Amino acid sequence: MKRILVVDDEESIRLTLSTILTREGYTVQAVGSFDEVTQILPSFPPDTIILDVLLPKVSGLDILKYLKEHGVDAPVIIITGAPDIQSARESLRHGAYDYIAKPFTLDVLRQSVGRAIKEKELLDARRELEEQKRRYQEDLERQVRERTAELQRRNAELAALNRLGAILAESLSLEHTLQAAIAELVAAVGSPLGAVYLLREGSFALAAAVAQSKGVAGLLPTTLAGAVPDVPADGPVRVAATTLPDDLRKALVAASADGVWLAGLVIKAETEGLLVVAAGTEEPDASLLSASARQIAVAVQNAKLFEESVTRRQHTEAIIQNMADGVLVLDKQDRISACNPALRNILGILREDLVGHSIHEFRDSPDLGLAALWEIGAPSADLIEQLQAMSYDSTSASEMPFVVRREVSLSAPLNRIVMVYTTQLRDLAHNPMGQVRLVRDITRERELDRMKSDFISIVSHELRTPLFYIKGFIELLLQGKAEDPKVRTEFLNIIRDQTDHLSKLVEDILDTSKMEQGSLVLKRERVPVEDLIRQAVADAEGMAANAGVELRVEVAEPLPEVIGDFVRLKQVMTNLIGNAIKFSKSGSIATVRGLRKPGEVWVQVQDQGAGIPAHSLPHVFDKFFQAESSQTRSTGGVGLGLYIARQIVENLGGRIWAESEPGRGSTFTFALPVQENPEDTHETDAT
């Protein structure tokens, strides 16, 4: 029911109005003074007030002012027994809703009160609407603030993820990258402690750790074993500190954290490690932790792949750089991608800055090595045609890349023969991406082939000649054509000499074989050099006399002993003296000297023969080497004597060399170190 407050100093009017309005269905309270008004208002908030203007002490206008000042918004109907325009104006000016002059009819009162009640209802409705509006406005502002804060948080997380991604992409060095990444993540989520553990050989090893408090990160365990819950693959989980291992729990307590977030570093169903973030004052967003874990997992896998790639590349580069054969790699534009030291050594190239240069830059180069590089590396029309025509079936594991082989002879001063093996590089889609050339120096092989051919020719000749003599003179003896004892003795001497020649040939071949197999044993004993010289000369006197060559011995002073094999050193001297005799003219002199040098004893054999050409001198100790062909020379031999001599001398710690001047003879010298420890005698393998 609507409430009406009647204020009038006349009791009859109060009673009349109360009765009439009560009948109209209103709740009515009637008072006669200002004091009563102030007392009743708190307990009876009216919907309409009927107020008499002429009241004792406090006028109706003053009460009207009071009501407006104290927020009473009920419409006020002014009633007065002495109406005038001025009074009406004042009343309306001070907020009165209506003005009625006494006496008034019931209809006038009913209409005025009805309008006032409706006005109050409108005021209440407007106030309710305004209150709802205010609440809606406040709720909207709250939602805006919350959404703004959420957006700010999301933006901060996104910015953190962007920074995290930038850090992880900045370097493939895991140690630096993970440390910076976990520092960024800890700062973004407001965590007091964070760490990354990587899976190594079945356990999680600490890779990076960051804490807000100094020294806390150092409390983290270096490894996490089975006490840690299974690594979550589908998102982070919060684990109470009480369920964690003691060492990890101690670190969390030091960081003032009662729990920890665990997120698996999982990529393509493979676990790379574990992300550990201590719970802070605010719970981190699970999506941020998940995204961070994924990014870190990708970075870890990328770093591993990069490390494996670097290792493979270094391994490949090490193989190429240390290969005995030369390697030249060209890209599709014929630019040099790799040129190893072996190839530069084969071609005598001193430059090392070849990578990136086109092979065609070195065509007609004044540098003979670079010109040779172009000759080897430049793709000819035939080579390109062969490479383009080749087929390569990648689906067959047994199918090998097609290889083009060609032999290249390099002119002076290189004087080398190389075999160049060329194959085409292809990518995974089998598209050509360059060429690889393997360059093998086969100069020695070709020389060995030539030497073997010469050896067969020489040996066949050296065997055929004495066998021819032996067989011929034996047939003469069997036919009885040597009845004269002198003739028979001469025939037998020839057979003996030819047999000795065959025996020497076989011994040289056997010694060479033993040396190459490492089975020739040399004694290490005290050797008196002067006795060695004189015995070797005495054994050669007969050969010298038959050749008309005089042998002289020159030993200026007593010679110290050396450590060596007396028998083998005598073999060396016999070989050198025999060569001096064979290559000297009748009537010439061959001199054998013994010289004492600082720390060494020298033995020299000098002849007065034709000498050795300068181009042949460096090769006189090579196996099978002969300065003249077996078909034209008359001295015999297969070119093994000097080779064997060098092997014996060098394996006894000495050295041997030759000096010669065409037309003035040759001098062969070997030097052995003077004996320092008389007890140092044993046997050694000549390897």
Side-chain angles (χ1 to χ4, degrees), residues 300-367:
V300 171
Q301 190 174 71
N302 287 343
K304 287 174 61 177
L305 293 174
F306 176 75
E307 184 176 351
E308 292 173 2
S309 174
V310 169
T311 301
R312 286 195 299 269
R313 188 183 70 232
Q314 290 175 343
H315 183 67
T316 302
E317 289 179 353
I319 292 174
I320 292 175
Q321 293 300 312
N322 292 282
M323 284 181 64
D325 294 328
V327 176
L328 177 66
V329 182
L330 304 177
D331 63 14
K332 289 193 297 185
Q333 285 75 39
D334 295 335
R335 291 189 298 261
I336 298 174
S337 299
C339 178
N340 70 343
L343 181 57
R344 295 198 299 271
N345 183 58
I346 291 172
L347 303 181
I349 297 174
L350 300 179
R351 284 181 57 177
E352 296 185 1
D353 59 335
L354 299 176
V355 174
H357 289 270
S358 171
I359 192 69
H360 302 292
E361 294 179 22
F362 307 124
R363 183 174 185 175
D364 300 326
S365 172
D367 186 318

Side-chain angles (χ1 to χ4, degrees), residues 46-339:
D47 293 304
T48 298
I49 300 174
I50 298 174
L51 177 62
D52 186 17
V53 174
L54 299 175
L55 293 174
K57 297 183 179 179
V58 180
S59 68
L61 290 179
D62 291 334
I63 294 176
L64 180 60
K65 293 178 184 179
Y66 173 82
L67 293 174
K68 298 304 179 182
E69 291 173 357
H70 287 77
V72 179
D73 58 354
V76 178
I77 300 173
I78 298 295
I79 59 175
T80 179
D84 59 76
I85 294 177
Q86 183 63 31
S87 174
R89 287 178 178 174
E90 285 296 318
S91 297
L92 295 174
R93 188 170 65 84
H94 286 85
Y97 174 74
D98 201 358
Y99 187 90
I100 302 174
K102 298 178 183 178
F104 47 79
T105 64
L106 180 58
D107 289 336
V108 171
L109 178 63
R110 184 184 296 118
Q111 291 176 3
S112 180
V113 170
R115 288 195 304 271
I117 291 297
K118 287 182 180 181
E119 177 68 17
K120 182 64 168 64
E121 289 175 348
L122 290 174
L123 288 174
D124 290 343
R126 185 168 62 231
R127 184 179 297 109
E128 179 64 23
L129 289 174
E130 290 177 352
E131 180 63 23
Q132 289 181 1
K133 179 181 177 182
R134 183 188 63 78
R135 289 196 301 268
Y136 290 153
Q137 185 69 27
E138 290 179 353
D139 186 60
L140 180 60
E141 292 176 354
R142 178 184 57 78
Q143 292 183 20
V144 169
R145 288 194 300 271
E146 292 176 354
R147 294 295 177 87
T148 302
E150 176 69 12
L151 287 175
Q152 290 175 343
R153 186 176 65 84
R154 291 292 183 180
N155 287 335
E157 291 176 356
L158 183 59
L161 282 175
N162 288 336
R163 291 193 299 272
L164 185 65
I167 290 171
L168 294 173
E170 187 177 77
S171 172
L172 288 171
S173 172
L174 271 184
E175 182 179 356
H176 169 75
T177 299
L178 291 181
Q179 191 70 22
I182 193 65
E184 178 64 34
L185 180 59
V186 164
V189 301
S191 171
L193 176 65
V196 172
Y197 285 83
L198 298 182
L199 189 60
R200 295 288 185 267
E201 298 180 356
S203 63
F204 293 104
L206 182 64
V210 171
Q212 292 182 0
S213 300
K214 186 177 181 181
V216 173
L219 300 177
L220 285 167
T222 56
T223 58
L224 296 178
V228 177
D230 292 338
V231 176
D234 55 350
V237 295
R238 194 183 193 282
V239 180
T242 55
T243 64
L244 296 173
D246 290 342
D247 44 7
L248 182 55
R249 185 171 61 251
K250 289 178 181 178
L252 293 176
V253 171
S256 301
D258 61 353
V260 66
W261 286 90
L262 302 178
L265 306 180
V266 182
I267 184 72
K268 295 181 180 178
E270 291 186 9
T271 300
E272 300 289 349
L274 184 66
L275 175 62
V276 179
V277 178
T281 55
E282 295 183 3
E283 293 295 325
D285 186 82
S287 61
L288 174 61
L289 293 180
S290 295
S292 300
R294 284 194 298 271
Q295 286 196 359
I296 294 174
V298 170
V300 171
Q301 190 174 71
N302 287 343
K304 287 174 61 177
L305 293 174
F306 176 75
E307 184 176 351
E308 292 173 2
S309 174
V310 169
T311 301
R312 286 195 299 269
R313 188 183 70 232
Q314 290 175 343
H315 183 67
T316 302
E317 289 179 353
I319 292 174
I320 292 175
Q321 293 300 312
N322 292 282
M323 284 181 64
D325 294 328
V327 176
L328 177 66
V329 182
L330 304 177
D331 63 14
K332 289 193 297 185
Q333 285 75 39
D334 295 335
R335 291 189 298 261
I336 298 174
S337 299
C339 178

Side-chain angles (χ1 to χ4, degrees), residues 19 41 278 573:
T19 302
L41 280 177
M573 292 212 54

Side-chain angles (χ1 to χ4, degrees), residues 466-580:
L467 287 174
F468 172 78
Y469 280 113
I470 292 170
K471 181 181 179 182
F473 283 107
I474 289 176
E475 287 179 351
L476 290 174
L477 290 172
L478 290 174
Q479 293 172 4
K481 295 183 179 181
E483 296 180 357
D484 187 343
K486 290 184 178 180
V487 173
R488 186 167 55 249
T489 300
E490 182 181 355
F491 283 4
L492 291 174
N493 285 334
I494 292 173
I495 293 172
R496 182 195 61 191
D497 291 343
Q498 295 301 322
T499 303
D500 289 343
H501 182 71
L502 283 177
S503 177
K504 178 66 168 56
L505 175 62
V506 172
E507 287 177 1
D508 284 350
I509 294 174
L510 290 176
D511 284 347
T512 300
S513 177
K514 288 179 181 179
M515 289 176 180
E516 291 183 345
Q517 295 174 4
S519 60
L520 181 66
V521 178
L522 298 177
K523 294 180 180 179
R524 295 187 64 83
E525 57 190 1
R526 291 182 292 177
V527 176
V529 179
E530 188 171 346
D531 291 350
L532 174 68
I533 293 173
R534 295 192 183 280
Q535 284 191 31
V537 171
D539 290 346
E541 286 288 358
M543 179 182 178
N546 291 334
V549 176
E550 180 185 351
L551 286 180
R552 293 181 181 178
V553 177
E554 296 180 1
V555 179
E557 56 181 321
L559 300 176
E561 294 180 336
V562 297
I563 296 296
D565 187 318
F566 187 93
V567 174
R568 290 296 181 181
L569 287 175
K570 186 178 177 182
Q571 179 183 352
V572 172
M573 292 212 54
T574 299
N575 196 304
L576 297 179
I577 295 172
N579 283 345

Side-chain angles (χ1 to χ4, degrees), residues 610-620 625 627 658-663 665-666:
I612 302 171
H615 67 273
S616 298
L617 195 60
H619 304 288
V620 294
F625 179 80
E659 300 169 285
S660 182
E661 185 177 345
S666 304

Side-chain angles (χ1 to χ4, degrees), residues 398-433:
S398 61
E399 188 76 20
M400 296 298 294
F402 185 78
V403 177
V404 178
R405 184 177 67 173
R406 64 190 179 104
E407 187 173 304
V408 178
S409 297
L410 303 177
S411 57
L414 296 177
N415 293 323
R416 292 180 184 269
I417 302 173
V418 296
M419 184 66 72
V420 182
Y421 302 87
T422 302
T423 188
Q424 199 163 46
L425 287 176
R426 293 178 176 269
D427 58 22
L428 296 178
H430 310 302
N431 298 314
M433 56 182 293

